[in-house]
């Protein structure tokens, strides 16, 4: 149940965005820029990172939605669960392991990040741009996890599946039209 009475019982990101439309638009644009601009780190990889970070933070909504989005990209849910148990033994591409380890550190103990951690990422063949995109993804989902938890948004299994598929098929841009429609509705109600 959301913490704010103005939010519906089935509230999600789309509802939160309407509380501050300018910030909502910027946030959607940021999602698109970070999560859908491929480098060596693909949208599939970034959705895996999003689900992983959200799992580390125990954000039910973001973990649910981004696990489903990662699954829509072909990631096995068992991989995400295995990563949360232990990165080293998880059946993930070895090239991704140093990025995922860094994601965990930036989420749980950011002040402990060192050059050694970054050097492991570069040694695995990632570029500075790839690392930057990974860091942006980690930052974005630490932010989003706190945004959803701060508003008391939990979601449901049906919502996770629907949003996960929609994000895979259309990305984040359709949220702009939802935001615009909500603004038109609010203006008409005045």
């Amino acid at each position: 149940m959301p913490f704010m009475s103005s939010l519906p019982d089935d509230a999600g990101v789309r509802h939160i965005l309407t509380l501050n439309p300018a910030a909502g638009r910027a946030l959607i644009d940021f999602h698109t820029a970070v999560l859908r601009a491929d480098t060596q780190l693909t949208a599939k990889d970034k959705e895996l990172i999003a689900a992983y970070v959200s799992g580390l933070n125990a954000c039910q909504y973001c973990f649910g939605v981004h696990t489903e989005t990662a699954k829509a990209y072909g990631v096995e849910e068992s991989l995400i669960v295995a990563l949360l148990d232990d990165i080293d033994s998880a059946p993930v591409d070895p090239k991704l392991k140093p990025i995922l380890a860094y994601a965990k550190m930036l989420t749980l103990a950011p002040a402990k990040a060192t050059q050694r951690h970054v050097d492991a990422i570069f040694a695995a063949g990632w570029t500075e741009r790839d690392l930057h995109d990974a860091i942006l993804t980690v930052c974005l989902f630490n932010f989003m996890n706190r945004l959803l938890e701060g508003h008391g948004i939990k979601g449901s299994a049906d919502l996770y599946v629907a949003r996960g598929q929609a994000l895979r098929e259309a990305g984040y841009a359709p949220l702009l039209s939802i935001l615009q429609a909500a603004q038109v509705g609010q203006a008409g109600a005045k």
Side-chain angles (χ1 to χ4, degrees), residues 107-168:
T107 298
L108 301 178
K112 292 185 179 181
T114 67
Q115 185 67 47
R116 177 178 57 85
H117 300 110
V118 171
D119 289 343
I121 292 167
F122 294 146
W126 298 102
T127 67
E128 287 185 4
R129 171 62 193 271
D130 300 324
L131 173 59
H132 179 68
D133 285 354
I135 292 168
L136 287 173
T137 303
V138 171
C139 292
L140 176 58
F141 280 89
N142 276 289
F143 174 85
M144 290 304 295
N145 297 163
R146 283 144 183 84
L147 183 68
L148 274 292
E149 291 297 325
H151 286 85
I153 308 298
K154 301 298 181 189
S156 66
D158 291 341
L159 178 130
Y160 306 151
V161 171
R163 290 299 309 135
Q165 255 331 104
L167 290 174
R168 168 64 174 105

Side-chain angles (χ1 to χ4, degrees), residues 85-108:
D85 287 339
D86 179 37
I87 292 173
D88 293 328
S89 64
V92 68
D93 179 352
K95 185 174 179 175
L96 272 175
K97 284 187 180 188
I99 283 186
L100 292 165
Y102 201 59
K104 182 176 183 177
M105 178 163 298
L106 289 177
T107 298
L108 301 178

Side-chain angles (χ1 to χ4, degrees), residues 1-104:
M1 185 72 117
F3 298 146
M4 297 178 179
S5 61
S6 64
L7 296 171
D9 289 345
D10 66 343
V13 171
R14 66 196 182 282
H15 299 99
I16 293 172
L17 296 176
T18 64
L19 296 173
N20 181 333
R25 277 188 302 281
L27 191 54
I28 293 166
D29 288 341
F30 190 63
H31 272 76
T32 300
V34 170
L35 299 172
R36 293 302 182 260
D38 285 351
T39 54
Q40 285 188 85
L41 200 62
T42 65
K44 175 182 177 179
D45 298 329
K46 292 172 189 176
E47 290 293 347
L48 173 63
I49 294 168
Y52 179 58
V53 167
S54 298
L56 291 171
N57 283 323
C59 178
Q60 184 177 324
Y61 183 96
C62 292
F63 180 73
V65 169
H66 292 282
T67 294
E68 290 298 329
T69 309
K71 285 169 51 180
Y73 274 99
V75 174
E76 296 291 328
E77 185 171 358
S78 61
L79 171 60
I80 298 166
V81 172
L83 284 169
L84 290 168
D85 287 339
D86 179 37
I87 292 173
D88 293 328
S89 64
V92 68
D93 179 352
K95 185 174 179 175
L96 272 175
K97 284 187 180 188
I99 283 186
L100 292 165
Y102 201 59
K104 182 176 183 177

